[in-house]
Structure formats: structure tokens, C-alpha cells
Amino acid sequence: FLVLRFRSFSRAMLALVPVFLAVGASSLIVGLLGIELSPLTTVSGPLVIATCTEFSVLIFGRYLEEREKGLTAREASDTAAARTGRAFFTSAVTTIGGFAVLVISPLPLLRDFGLIVTLNVAIALLAALVVMPPIMVWVDGKGWLGIDAQRAPGSAVKLAAPLPGDQTVLAGLGAVAFVAAGLGVYASADTSSGTADIVSYAAVALPTPTPTPTPTPAPTPVAGDDTPTPTAVPEDDGPLIDPADFPAEAPEGVFAPALFGLLTDAGIDANAAHCTIVTAYERAGGEDVLVPLLLAGDEPSLLLVGQAGADCGVDPVQLSTAIAAGLGG
């Protein structure tokens, strides 16, 4: 898109240099800090590309405007950095402050997301403000931007480079190519049937935990009473599900290792922790169903996990401690 808009490969690549640097630096810093990526933090990659592209195009457009007014390369760079740079610096600081609040979140996923996004926006800002101005002056000094042919003080800024040769013919060819590309995109769509497929999803209710019956104590016999004394219901000798049948390691899944760590940190046996997670997943319909509800503090989901832990022989106090730690208190 930048090549089509600028009509110049050198101008498009110049606007993308800070983007390349920001993406590389962001990945390097995240790796050095040892931050573990998750499905939530992977959105930081496209975010740093979008933010840095916006900053670099804005400052580059202002630089072109000042150069076409007749300023020297150094003067145009200083003007663009001092005026337009001040504007998106304020915007970037506001964005950084908004995401930096998530760093103090008790939830590890939100905390890592806020930290990574804050770093990415700060890196994008520094790349556009520190790297972009000297590169613009250097490339302009090589004559690769074609600004000398566009100097027209008092006229509107021209982001696109001048067309060589017969501009009318080249502009017409460009319009034809653009229309052909649009027709190609339209033709690639599957509109043969003329109908839309409607997919309906049925809601699946979460299973309700079954309370464990309390043994009824035998009544005290009364003297002279010939009524037979009922026998008390014996208590179970062990858990409903034997945790020894499960391995002493975290089950597979995106969030399962984190849940396993919370349970074992609370003193729960590794086999019982594995049994609790797998049982809760099976009863809820999978990890992608249960985990979002747990993060939202859904009470039936918490009861489901509690019942799974009870069936696996987990101490309720330890399980409550692990759940409270996972929800930040």
C-alpha cells in the first residue's frame, strides 16, 4: 500500500525502516526479559507494526511538506520532529500510561500483556522519533526521494513521488491496474450459490456439582424400646477418583501448566492436581470453555472445580487457597 501511495519504492521502504527496527527490538527485549508469550500477548506483534507505521508515516509526511516548501533537509527534519513529533509523542505517552496500568494486575496474563504492549509502544515511539529523522536527511541527501522536482511553496503536500515520462499515460495505467486488482478480488469471492450458510450454536449447560451425602449418625437407644437400631452409613475409604492413576506432571493445554502450578504451590499433591484439572476440563467441555469462566469469577465454574478436587481427594482448604491465588486474592 505504501508503494502505491508514495509511487516510490525508496519512500515506502524509508517509512518502514523504523517498523523493522521496532519489531526486532521488541522481540529481543521480550526474549531477554524471559516473558512467556501467550495467546493474549501475541497481539503485541501486529500492534507494534501498526503503531510504528503510523508514527513514521506522520513524521515522514510532515518532512516532505517542509521540504516542498523550500526548507533544507536538516531544517525540515527539525521542524517535523518538533511539531508533528510533539503531537504523536503526547498520543503515545497516553497509550503507554493506559496499558501500563495493567502491569499491576494480579492476573499473570493481564500483567504480561500490559508489560509487553507498554514496551512495544515505547519502542515504536523511540524508533520513529530517534531513528527516522537522521535517516530521512541521509536518504534525501542521496537524491532518492525526488523532492527537488516537487518544490512548490504554498501548494499542498505531495506524498507521492513525481511520475517519470508522460505522467498522463502512467497515471492511466496505474488506474487500470488498480481497477483490475479490485475486479480480481471481487472475482475471487465465491458468490455462485447466492445463499448464506447460517450456523447455529446450542448452549451447553455446565454440570452441577453433586453434593456428597453426609452420613446419618445412629440414634441413641432408649431403655425398654424394642425398635431395631439403624446402622450408620459408612464413610468412603478413599476419593471417588483415584489420583494415583494420573501422572505427577502438568496436563497438556495452554493454561493447564499455570493451573497445575497454582495447585501444587498450595501444597496439593501433583497427581491429585493433574486429576483435578483433567476432571474439571472433561466435565466443563474442555479448557476453552472452563478457563474463560474461571477468569471471570463464574461461581458455577468454581463449584465445578471444587467438586472435581473433592472427587480426586484434594483438601478443600488447599484448593480454596489455590483458587484465591489464581484470582488475585
Side-chain angles (χ1 to χ4, degrees):
F1 175 79
L2 291 178
V3 172
L4 293 177
R5 182 62 185 88
F6 287 132
R7 288 204 305 262
S8 169
F9 182 77
S10 59
R11 291 191 180 192
M13 292 304 297
L14 176 60
L16 291 178
V17 167
V19 180
F20 298 148
L21 293 176
V23 172
S26 172
S27 302
L28 182 61
I29 291 177
V30 169
L32 292 176
L33 293 179
I35 300 176
E36 184 177 355
L37 295 180
S38 66
L40 187 61
T41 56
T42 50
V43 74
S44 61
L47 181 62
V48 70
I49 294 174
T51 305
C52 193
T53 302
E54 175 193 3
F55 292 161
S56 61
V57 170
L58 283 175
I59 197 169
F60 185 42
R62 184 55 184 268
Y63 174 82
L64 293 176
E65 181 179 5
E66 299 300 332
R67 286 286 286 134
E68 291 168 13
K69 288 180 180 180
L71 295 182
T72 63
R74 182 59 183 271
E75 292 173 343
S77 175
D78 293 342
T79 302
R83 297 184 181 179
T84 303
R86 185 185 306 170
F88 68 71
F89 175 81
T90 305
S91 174
V93 170
T94 304
T95 305
I96 291 173
F99 282 105
V101 176
L102 298 177
V103 177
I104 61 176
S105 172
L107 297 178
L109 288 178
L110 288 180
R111 182 171 62 248
D112 292 344
F113 175 73
L115 178 60
I116 292 179
V117 173
T118 301
L119 287 174
N120 287 347
V121 177
I123 292 170
L125 176 64
L126 292 176
L129 273 182
V130 178
V131 178
M132 191 69 176
I135 293 181
M136 290 189 302
V137 175
W138 181 77
V139 174
D140 194 2
K142 297 290 184 179
W144 295 343
L145 299 182
I147 294 178
D148 292 336
Q150 290 183 279
R151 288 187 177 177
S155 63
V157 60
K158 298 180 180 62
L159 293 178
L163 287 172
D166 190 343
Q167 297 187 10
T168 304
V169 175
L170 291 176
L173 291 176
V176 171
F178 183 77
V179 173
L183 292 176
V185 173
Y186 176 77
S188 64
D190 185 9
T191 58
S192 58
S193 63
T195 60
D197 295 330
I198 300 177
V199 180
S200 59
Y201 297 92
V204 179
L206 292 174
T208 304
T210 304
T212 304
T214 304
T216 304
T220 304
V222 180
D225 189 359
D226 297 333
T227 304
T229 303
T231 304
V233 178
E235 299 183 0
D236 293 335
D237 295 333
L240 182 63
I241 303 175
D242 189 2
D245 296 335
F246 295 84
E249 58 185 16
E252 296 182 357
V254 178
F255 299 97
L259 295 175
F260 183 80
L262 288 174
L263 297 179
T264 54
D265 289 344
I268 298 174
D269 183 70
N271 302 83
H274 189 115
C275 173
T276 301
I277 296 172
V278 171
T279 303
Y281 279 0
E282 291 177 352
R283 294 176 179 177
E287 181 182 60
D288 54 345
V289 176
L290 179 61
V291 172
L293 295 175
L294 290 178
L295 294 177
D298 182 64
E299 185 173 351
S301 301
L302 297 175
L303 292 176
L304 188 148
V305 176
Q307 184 61 48
D311 293 343
C312 292
V314 175
D315 180 38
V317 176
Q318 293 178 332
L319 186 60
S320 299
T321 303
I323 294 176
L327 295 178

